[in-house]
Amino acid sequence: STQSTGEKRKEEERIAEEKRKEEQRLKEEKRLAALAKLEEMKAALQTAISEKDIAKLKKSIADVEENNLVEDLADLHKQATELLERLEKIEKIKKNIQELKRP
């Protein structure tokens, strides 16, 4: 080839630099996607908690766990889990009362 050793080295460095930039860009994209997901999960947990909705609580808790965001949303996750347990106990009590009322 007619390229000198210096030109070849420059070309290799340029390619390596582009690769680094691309890897950095992908890393940043992944981080932003994770942050967006985190905000989405946080909002879903807050909604489920404020609405005291068993189905929404179960879904949002499962989503947080499946996306490995339990540590990031520790307080809300704990709050949602405890609320779900309380609501399920209340439902069970209501059901028992209904059964007692039956003739």
Side-chain angles (χ1 to χ4, degrees):
S1 126
T2 56
Q3 270 189 330
S4 72
T5 312
E7 286 174 332
K8 274 185 184 169
R9 191 167 42 242
K10 265 188 186 160
E11 181 63 11
E12 285 168 3
E13 284 172 10
R14 189 187 63 76
I15 290 168
E17 180 59 26
E18 275 183 21
K19 250 188 188 167
R20 272 196 300 274
K21 281 181 183 171
E22 179 65 8
E23 282 168 10
Q24 194 58 44
R25 192 184 62 75
L26 288 172
K27 214 180 205 178
E28 184 64 10
E29 246 175 49
K30 220 174 185 180
R31 192 182 72 82
L32 290 173
L35 282 175
K37 187 155 242 172
L38 181 70
E39 284 308 308
E40 193 182 303
M41 302 275 154
K42 184 178 181 178
L45 277 174
Q46 288 168 330
T47 301
I49 290 168
S50 66
E51 292 178 6
K52 292 181 174 54
D53 183 314
I54 289 180
K56 282 185 183 176
L57 281 165
K58 283 182 178 176
K59 187 187 182 320
S60 57
I61 289 167
D63 285 345
V64 167
E65 290 168 358
E66 285 163 19
N67 285 282
N68 297 317
L69 294 171
V70 176
E71 283 180 26
D72 299 277
L73 296 168
D75 293 344
L76 273 178
H77 180 268
K78 184 174 188 271
Q79 200 181 335
T81 306
E82 289 172 355
L83 177 60
L84 177 61
E85 285 170 10
R86 284 201 309 272
L87 292 174
E88 286 178 330
K89 276 182 191 164
I90 292 168
E91 283 303 307
K92 198 173 181 181
I93 292 167
K94 281 182 184 173
K95 206 171 142 187
N96 289 341
I97 291 171
Q98 291 303 318
E99 284 171 14
L100 286 174
K101 285 182 177 176
R102 283 200 199 114

